[in-house]
């Protein structure tokens, strides 16, 4: 992993990867959402509202995966002092927060026709809302304590401690009585019919590629900002 | 209850917000990288 510690080496890989992730992500999402809207059948219980799952599941997945990325970046920053880890953590935070918010909003929109309510304060919904607030806290802390484009130790520790919320979100539907259904996709298989499952998995893959493209763009932006600052300082010093 | 207004709202918000974040990230990256390149060239001269 330390092979990528040099920003120039990282940029040599990130620059060609960014457009590939971007184009593949957009094409995969367009295909999955087109199929989800016009090709797949309605669910026998939920009716057409099941089509909202094709945007809800990928967005909330990215919210949780994003914080897992912040956890890994925090560990790499504190244990191995990887110079790009703090930059990666900062780059993940804003898209992670936005996709968590989209997961909450699309879940709420799905809940109205399916459950008859926009919101309930049950374990799953509340812990997902806590994840969104954790993102806001991380963004504020990382911005306030920026060091060489990366984050301070305090922000890295916050990212690691905040990861305790991920298993809480995952197991909330089994630990507490919840209006939210239990996990449909587990390591043992899926209870979702394949006609509905495949566009959901394709949509998740597409949104993940797009998320990777956005994170690479944001990392490149931060690295360019650090270089501008260093160059201006050198020019000012003569 | 007609589900389609809910479906359209969910897709519209998701696609709109995703494209807005993508466009913003791309524009800021291009501006910042162009500025860094311009400064590097200026410094070399």
């Amino acid at each position: 992993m330390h092979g990528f510690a040099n920003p120039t080496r990282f940029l040599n890989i990130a620059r060609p990867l960014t457009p590939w992730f971007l184009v593949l992500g957009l094409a995969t999402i367009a295909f999955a959402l087109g199929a989800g809207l016009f090709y797949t059948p309605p669910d026998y219980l939920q009716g057409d509202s099941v089509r909202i799952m094709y945007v809800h599941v990928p967005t909330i997945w990215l919210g949780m995966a994003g914080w897992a990325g912040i956890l890994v970046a925090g560990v790499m920053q504190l244990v191995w002092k990887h110079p790009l880890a703090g930059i990666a953590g900062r780059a993940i935070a804003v898209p992670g927060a936005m996709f968590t918010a989209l997961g909450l909003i699309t879940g709420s929109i799905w809940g109205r026709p399916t459950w008859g309510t926009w919101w309930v304060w049950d374990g799953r919904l509340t812990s997902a809302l806590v994840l969104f607030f954790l993102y806001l806290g991380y963004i504020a802390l990382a911005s306030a304590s920026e060091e060489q484009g990366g984050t301070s130790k305090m922000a890295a520790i916050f990212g690691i401690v905040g990861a305790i919320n991920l298993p809480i979100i995952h197991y909330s539907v089994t630990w507490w009585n919840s209006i939210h259904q239990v996990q449909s996709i587990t390591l043992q298989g899926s209870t979702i019919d394949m006609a509905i499952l495949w566009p959901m998995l394709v949509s998740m893959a597409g949104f993940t590629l797009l998320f990777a493209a956005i994170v690479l763009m944001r990392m490149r932006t931060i690295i360019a900002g650090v270089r501008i600052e260093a160059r201006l300082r050198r020019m000012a010093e003569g | 209850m007609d589900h389609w207004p809910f479906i359209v709202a969910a897709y519209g918000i998701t696609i709109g917000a995703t494209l807005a974040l993508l466009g913003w990230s791309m524009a800021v990256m291009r501006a910042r990288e162009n500025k860094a390149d311009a400064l590097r060239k200026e410094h070399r001269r």
Side-chain angles (χ1 to χ4, degrees), chain A residues 93-112:
Chain A
V94 170
M98 193 202 75
F99 281 110
T100 305
L102 284 175
L104 288 164
I105 292 166
T106 53
S108 176
I109 292 172
W110 175 83
R112 183 67 187 89

Side-chain angles (χ1 to χ4, degrees), chain A residues 28-54:
Chain A
T28 310
I29 291 169
F31 172 71
L33 297 191
L37 276 177
F38 305 113
Y39 179 71
T40 59
D43 182 67
Y44 80 105
L45 261 181
Q46 300 174 39
D48 279 317
S49 71
V50 74
R51 300 181 199 283
I52 297 173
M53 288 296 112
Y54 304 132

Side-chain angles (χ1 to χ4, degrees), chain A residues 18 217 220-221, chain B residues 24-34:
Chain A
T18 310
M217 283 180 200
R220 286 170 59 180
T221 304
Chain B
W24 174 57
S25 302
M26 198 182 285
V28 175
M29 178 193 71
R30 282 198 177 148
R32 198 78 63 87
E33 286 191 338
N34 286 344

Side-chain angles (χ1 to χ4, degrees), chain A residues 22 37 46 48-49 51-52 54-55 95 98-99 102 106 109 112-113 118 210 214 217-218 220-221 224-225 228 231 235, chain B residues 1 3-4 6-7 9-11 13-15 17-19 21-22 24-26 28-29 32-33 35-36 39-40 42-43:
Chain A
L22 177 63
L37 276 177
Q46 300 174 39
D48 279 317
S49 71
R51 300 181 199 283
I52 297 173
Y54 304 132
V55 288
M98 193 202 75
F99 281 110
L102 284 175
T106 53
I109 292 172
R112 183 67 187 89
W118 297 100
L210 195 66
I214 292 170
M217 283 180 200
R218 294 180 57 80
R220 286 170 59 180
T221 304
I228 290 170
R231 186 80 63 185
M235 286 166 84
Chain B
M1 183 188 278
H3 290 178
W4 281 97
F6 296 95
I7 298 167
Y11 276 63
I13 291 167
T14 303
I15 293 168
T18 304
L19 290 180
L21 177 67
L22 185 61
W24 174 57
S25 302
M26 198 182 285
V28 175
M29 178 193 71
R32 198 78 63 87
E33 286 191 338
K35 191 177 177 187
L39 274 173
R40 185 170 51 86
E42 192 182 322
H43 192 66

